[in-house]
Short mmCIF file of all heavy atoms in Angstrom, two decimals:
data_model
loop_
_atom_site.label_atom_id
_atom_site.label_comp_id
_atom_site.label_asym_id
_atom_site.label_seq_id
_atom_site.Cartn_x
_atom_site.Cartn_y
_atom_site.Cartn_z
N CYS N 30 6.53 1.86 40.40
CA CYS N 30 6.02 3.14 39.92
C CYS N 30 7.08 3.88 39.12
O CYS N 30 6.81 4.42 38.05
CB CYS N 30 5.56 4.01 41.09
SG CYS N 30 4.00 3.48 41.78
N ALA N 31 8.29 3.88 39.62
CA ALA N 31 9.38 4.58 38.94
C ALA N 31 9.61 3.98 37.55
O ALA N 31 9.97 4.70 36.61
CB ALA N 31 10.65 4.51 39.76
N ALA N 32 9.39 2.67 37.43
CA ALA N 32 9.56 2.03 36.12
C ALA N 32 8.41 2.36 35.18
O ALA N 32 8.55 2.32 33.95
CB ALA N 32 9.67 0.52 36.29
N LEU N 33 7.25 2.69 35.75
CA LEU N 33 6.08 3.00 34.92
C LEU N 33 6.06 4.45 34.45
O LEU N 33 5.60 4.75 33.35
CB LEU N 33 4.79 2.70 35.70
CG LEU N 33 4.55 1.26 36.15
CD1 LEU N 33 3.21 1.16 36.88
CD2 LEU N 33 4.58 0.28 34.99
N PHE N 34 6.57 5.35 35.29
CA PHE N 34 6.47 6.79 34.99
C PHE N 34 6.95 7.17 33.59
O PHE N 34 6.28 7.96 32.91
CB PHE N 34 7.23 7.61 36.04
CG PHE N 34 6.56 7.64 37.39
CD1 PHE N 34 7.30 7.83 38.56
CD2 PHE N 34 5.18 7.47 37.50
CE1 PHE N 34 6.68 7.84 39.79
CE2 PHE N 34 4.56 7.48 38.74
CZ PHE N 34 5.32 7.67 39.89
N PRO N 35 8.08 6.66 33.11
CA PRO N 35 8.54 7.10 31.79
C PRO N 35 7.57 6.75 30.65
O PRO N 35 7.68 7.30 29.56
CB PRO N 35 9.86 6.35 31.59
CG PRO N 35 10.24 5.83 32.93
CD PRO N 35 9.01 5.71 33.74
N HIS N 36 6.65 5.84 30.92
CA HIS N 36 5.76 5.38 29.84
C HIS N 36 4.38 6.02 29.89
O HIS N 36 3.48 5.65 29.15
CB HIS N 36 5.64 3.86 29.91
CG HIS N 36 6.97 3.17 29.86
ND1 HIS N 36 7.80 3.26 28.77
CD2 HIS N 36 7.65 2.44 30.79
CE1 HIS N 36 8.92 2.60 29.01
NE2 HIS N 36 8.85 2.09 30.23
N LEU N 37 4.22 6.99 30.79
CA LEU N 37 2.94 7.73 30.83
C LEU N 37 2.96 8.80 29.75
O LEU N 37 4.03 9.22 29.30
CB LEU N 37 2.77 8.38 32.20
CG LEU N 37 2.70 7.45 33.41
CD1 LEU N 37 2.55 8.27 34.69
CD2 LEU N 37 1.56 6.47 33.28
N PRO N 38 1.79 9.28 29.34
CA PRO N 38 1.77 10.40 28.39
C PRO N 38 2.55 11.59 28.96
O PRO N 38 2.56 11.78 30.18
CB PRO N 38 0.28 10.75 28.27
CG PRO N 38 -0.44 9.51 28.67
CD PRO N 38 0.43 8.82 29.68
N GLU N 39 3.18 12.34 28.08
CA GLU N 39 4.07 13.42 28.52
C GLU N 39 3.40 14.39 29.49
O GLU N 39 4.02 14.85 30.44
CB GLU N 39 4.54 14.22 27.29
CG GLU N 39 5.99 13.98 26.95
CD GLU N 39 6.33 14.61 25.63
OE1 GLU N 39 6.19 15.84 25.52
OE2 GLU N 39 6.74 13.87 24.71
N SER N 40 2.14 14.70 29.22
CA SER N 40 1.48 15.72 30.02
C SER N 40 0.99 15.20 31.36
O SER N 40 0.45 15.95 32.16
CB SER N 40 0.30 16.27 29.22
OG SER N 40 -0.52 15.19 28.82
N SER N 41 1.15 13.91 31.62
CA SER N 41 0.64 13.34 32.86
C SER N 41 1.58 13.57 34.02
O SER N 41 2.80 13.59 33.86
CB SER N 41 0.43 11.83 32.70
OG SER N 41 -0.59 11.57 31.79
N GLU N 42 1.00 13.74 35.20
CA GLU N 42 1.81 13.84 36.40
C GLU N 42 2.46 12.50 36.70
O GLU N 42 1.89 11.45 36.41
CB GLU N 42 0.91 14.17 37.60
CG GLU N 42 0.53 15.61 37.72
CD GLU N 42 -0.49 15.77 38.82
OE1 GLU N 42 -0.27 15.24 39.93
OE2 GLU N 42 -1.52 16.42 38.55
N ARG N 43 3.62 12.53 37.31
CA ARG N 43 4.29 11.28 37.67
C ARG N 43 3.90 10.89 39.10
O ARG N 43 4.69 11.07 40.03
CB ARG N 43 5.81 11.45 37.54
CG ARG N 43 6.42 11.09 36.19
CD ARG N 43 5.84 11.80 35.02
NE ARG N 43 6.33 11.26 33.75
CZ ARG N 43 5.65 11.29 32.62
NH1 ARG N 43 4.45 11.81 32.57
NH2 ARG N 43 6.17 10.80 31.52
N THR N 44 2.68 10.41 39.26
CA THR N 44 2.24 9.97 40.59
C THR N 44 1.47 8.65 40.47
O THR N 44 0.91 8.37 39.41
CB THR N 44 1.26 11.00 41.23
OG1 THR N 44 0.11 11.10 40.39
CG2 THR N 44 1.89 12.37 41.38
N PRO N 45 1.47 7.86 41.55
CA PRO N 45 0.69 6.61 41.52
C PRO N 45 -0.79 6.88 41.24
O PRO N 45 -1.44 6.10 40.55
CB PRO N 45 0.87 6.04 42.93
CG PRO N 45 2.12 6.66 43.45
CD PRO N 45 2.22 8.01 42.81
#
Side-chain angles (χ1 to χ4, degrees):
Chain N
C30 285
L33 299 181
F34 289 153
H36 304 297
L37 298 179
E39 252 171 60
S40 54
S41 293
E42 280 173 49
R43 269 55 189 152
T44 62

